[in-house]
Amino acid sequence: MAKYIISIDQSTQGTKALLFDETGSIMRRTDRPHRQIINEKGWVSHDPEEIYSNVLAVVKELLEGVDKECVVGLGISNQRETSLAWNRITGKPYGNAVVWQCARAVDICARVEKAGAAEMIRQKTGMNLSPYFPASKIAWLLENEEGAKEAAERHEICHGTIDSWLVYKLTGGKEYRTDYSNASRTQLFNIFDLKWDEEICGLFGIDPANMAEMTDSDACFGETDFEGLLPKKVPIHGVLGDSHGSLFGQGCLQPGMTKATYGTGSSIMMNIGEKPTLSTHGVVTSLAWKIGGKVNYVLEGNLNYTGAVITWLKDDLQLISSPGETGKLAKEAIQEDNLYLVPAFSGLGAPYWDSEARASVVGMSRTTRKAEFVRAAVECIAYQITDVVLAMAEDAGVPVKELRVDGGPTRNDYLMQFQSNIADAGVLVPDSEELSAIGPAYAAGLRLGVWDERIFGKLNRVSYKPAMDAEKREKKYAGWKKAVASVITNK
């Protein structure tokens, strides 16, 4: 009998379900968007109940006409730092989830920094103190959502990242777990001791006893039948944060291998092996995963606005009607134009970490038209990723000569060639965009014996090589650095 693996990819914009056969091929995919709830203060939220409802909806559609008896397991990838809290008994959320882009907890971070704890937190978690991470987001929920603090005192609360919420809901409230990749992104997890850090939790007013149970990334997180959609319960294996999932799916299993995910934001990761190295160049250290009982670490830089810049061009500025137009317009732009867009709409992530910085357009002239503006928006994606790649290379002590990439914007050949040019590295684009879903599917299938390590050779890739002379590259990148410096507030 055939063996199928379902993979759920719960991302910032929506939820996908993918069905993999025993060869690791994607048989079909279904997806559904959810609301982006943005208030007058610019706070970004998601409705957890809507997200879970969408999970069931996409799986129901995915399984239409499929022999459901063949489904043997489930993998999950999730938008990572997005944080929520819910009642452990009733399963009802306390308010909406605070999305990773949202900096509403900046005052909580300021309070912790004033206590002199920022460097201690970096030394234990590998990450600079920032409202980007769940520690302050969970603290904000406990302090501001009605009933949350009281439930926490009674140990009747669950709080954490979307993976924990989905595992809880899919298992009918029986399991409250998270994996090592997601835990390492909370800023509450000691990446050296591999446990929730009591001192850091205390600084944020969080009881570590209320945190999710740590589970190996490929272990069993419980069983689900998707509320009756399957004839029998199947195990949940392969739970990974979306960026970690794509690192695993890309086959970046050895130290020095690097990938970049182009989504709403971007995650750039370098596998650094089984020993952690703290960054001194503005990126962070976290766990890649714990698989087969072994931990792998990564250097990582996160960007708030990469693919979201293209969405902004389309939905807000209405300069384009579809993302596919950007490549053609970028090629039509005046090549000598020196326009730069710094997309600090909600601050700057790695390697600058300035939550107060705001977006800016630099170098506009009388010859600046729509094409030049669109090109600047496309190029700012590659510039930001190059910032992070260079920072990681400094920390690791080795240049990055190959970048494995994934995500929707990788279809843009102008962007991919410019990325190769400005980073001075080869860029490898796989024939599938679904790396965030492929990673946990591969992990689940490996653990369940559906396939073996040869599965990592399945992806076909298009290769881009640097084609810009060094002088031009240096001039263009220097212009970008100058534009970024003009918006930095934490100088």
Side-chain angles (χ1 to χ4, degrees):
M1 188 172 71
K3 293 182 178 180
Y4 301 150
I5 297 288
I6 294 175
S7 186
I8 301 296
D9 181 13
Q10 203 301 294
S11 69
T12 309
Q13 298 297 325
T15 302
K16 302 175 190 173
L18 294 93
L19 191 66
F20 292 76
D21 66 16
E22 60 267 32
T23 72
S25 298
I26 298 173
M27 298 171 62
R28 59 195 309 186
R29 163 192 150 178
T30 55
D31 56 88
R32 183 168 293 198
H34 56 257
R35 290 174 298 146
Q36 305 298 312
I37 305 167
I38 305 173
N39 71 5
E40 69 283 354
K41 297 179 182 178
W43 294 357
V44 188
S45 305
H46 290 160
D47 178 354
E49 297 279 22
E50 180 186 10
I51 286 175
Y52 178 62
S53 176
N54 285 354
V55 167
L56 296 180
V58 295
V59 170
K60 181 179 181 181
E61 185 180 352
L62 185 80
L63 294 173
E64 290 177 1
V66 171
D67 185 351
K68 300 173 185 178
E69 293 282 353
C70 295
V71 176
V72 297
L74 168 68
I76 297 174
S77 69
N78 58 285
Q79 51 168 321
R80 296 178 305 167
E81 291 82 6
T82 295
S83 306
L84 71 159
W86 67 97
N87 188 280
R88 187 183 288 234
I89 298 170
T90 67
K92 293 297 182 183
Y94 292 101
N96 285 323
V98 182
V99 178
W100 58 270
Q101 293 166 310
C102 186
R104 76 182 70 172
V106 64
D107 290 342
I108 292 174
C109 286
R111 188 171 72 206
V112 172
E113 184 170 18
K114 191 175 180 180
E119 180 57 20
M120 177 272 289
I121 290 172
R122 191 185 77 85
Q123 290 288 334
K124 287 185 172 186
T125 69
M127 299 183 294
N128 296 315
L129 179 64
S130 171
Y132 181 96
F133 298 113
S136 60
K137 287 175 164 59
I138 293 170
W140 189 94
L141 289 165
L142 292 174
E143 293 177 17
N144 289 278
E145 292 295 347
E146 184 178 355
K149 183 178 180 182
E150 292 76 12
E153 291 170 351
R154 297 191 302 269
H155 300 294
E156 292 179 2
I157 200 167
C158 299
H159 43 50
T161 43
I162 294 290
D163 60 309
S164 297
W165 166 247
L166 294 183
V167 166
Y168 174 92
K169 293 292 285 184
L170 288 169
T171 61
K174 292 180 181 178
E175 303 292 345
Y176 174 40
R177 297 173 180 268
T178 192
D179 93 298
Y180 282 79
S181 71
N182 281 291
S184 73
R185 301 296 300 175
T186 61
Q187 203 154 63
L188 296 168
F189 188 74
N190 189 311
I191 64 171
F192 299 93
D193 296 342
L194 300 179
K195 64 181 183 180
W196 301 119
D197 191 281
E198 293 187 8
E199 183 179 11
I200 297 174
C201 286
L203 284 167
F204 287 97
I206 296 168
D207 187 339
N210 290 332
M211 297 298 292
E213 181 181 346
M214 290 304 311
T215 306
D216 286 14
S217 308
D218 63 341
C220 184
F221 285 71
E223 295 184 326
T224 186
D225 61 4
F226 295 100
E227 298 194 9
L229 293 177
L230 291 176
K232 64 180 184 299
K233 292 183 184 292
V234 298
I236 304 170
H237 285 280
V239 175
L240 292 158
D242 51 11
S243 296
H244 310 256
S246 64
L247 186 76
F248 193 75
Q250 287 274 22
C252 293
L253 309 181
Q254 302 301 320
M257 299 183 76
T258 306
K259 71 91 195 179
T261 296
Y262 297 69
T264 304
S266 282
S267 161
I268 304 91
M269 278 186 173
M270 175 189 285
N271 189 327
I272 57 172
E274 296 181 29
K275 293 183 179 179
T277 299
L278 290 179
S279 172
T280 59
H281 292 85
V283 294
V284 303
T285 306
S286 34
L287 297 178
W289 46 68
K290 187 179 181 187
I291 287 178
K294 290 184 178 181
V295 167
N296 270 51
Y297 289 88
V298 291
L299 292 173
E300 179 178 6
N302 297 101
L303 307 170
N304 293 349
Y305 280 85
T306 51
V309 176
I310 307 303
T311 303
W312 174 68
L313 289 181
K314 180 173 75 71
D315 295 345
D316 298 288
L317 298 189
Q318 298 183 359
L319 288 179
I320 56 173
S321 57
S322 73
E325 296 174 31
T326 58
K328 181 175 181 290
L329 283 166
K331 292 172 184 175
E332 292 174 356
I334 297 170
Q335 295 303 303
E336 292 73 28
D337 187 86
N338 291 316
L339 187 69
Y340 293 93
L341 168 65
V342 183
F345 299 107
S346 57
L348 288 171
Y352 306 104
W353 297 108
D354 187 347
S355 59
E356 299 300 317
R358 288 298 174 262
S360 178
V361 177
V362 178
M364 189 178 295
S365 71
R366 182 63 183 83
T367 62
T368 300
R369 307 162 300 158
K370 179 169 77 169
E372 285 72 35
F373 197 91
V374 169
R375 188 180 74 175
V378 171
E379 290 182 350
C380 80
I381 298 172
Y383 282 126
Q384 292 181 91
I385 286 173
T386 300
D387 284 339
V388 175
V389 167
L390 294 179
M392 292 194 304
E394 289 286 341
D395 280 325
V398 293
V400 174
K401 290 299 183 184
E402 178 186 277
L403 189 61
R404 299 189 175 194
V405 303
D406 57 84
T410 62
R411 290 194 300 263
N412 187 322
D413 62 345
Y414 180 88
L415 172 59
M416 292 297 96
Q417 185 59 61
F418 187 76
Q419 182 70 79
S420 180
N421 290 345
I422 210 68
D424 194 22
V427 172
L428 298 180
V429 184
D431 56 359
S432 175
E433 299 172 12
E434 309 294 352
L435 271 297
S436 295
I438 287 172
Y442 281 6
L446 284 165
R447 185 63 182 257
L448 292 167
V450 177
W451 42 64
D452 58 30
E453 280 75 10
R454 288 175 293 181
I455 195 72
F456 293 107
K458 188 171 183 63
L459 292 176
N460 296 313
R461 305 177 192 272
V462 175
S463 178
Y464 293 83
K465 300 294 184 184
M468 182 181 288
D469 67 71
E471 183 179 355
K472 184 176 180 181
R473 177 186 303 114
E474 291 167 8
K475 182 179 179 182
K476 289 185 74 69
Y477 189 62
W480 163 255
K481 297 294 281 187
K482 185 176 180 181
V484 171
S486 72
V487 306
I488 293 290
T489 67
N490 59 0
K491 297 172 183 175

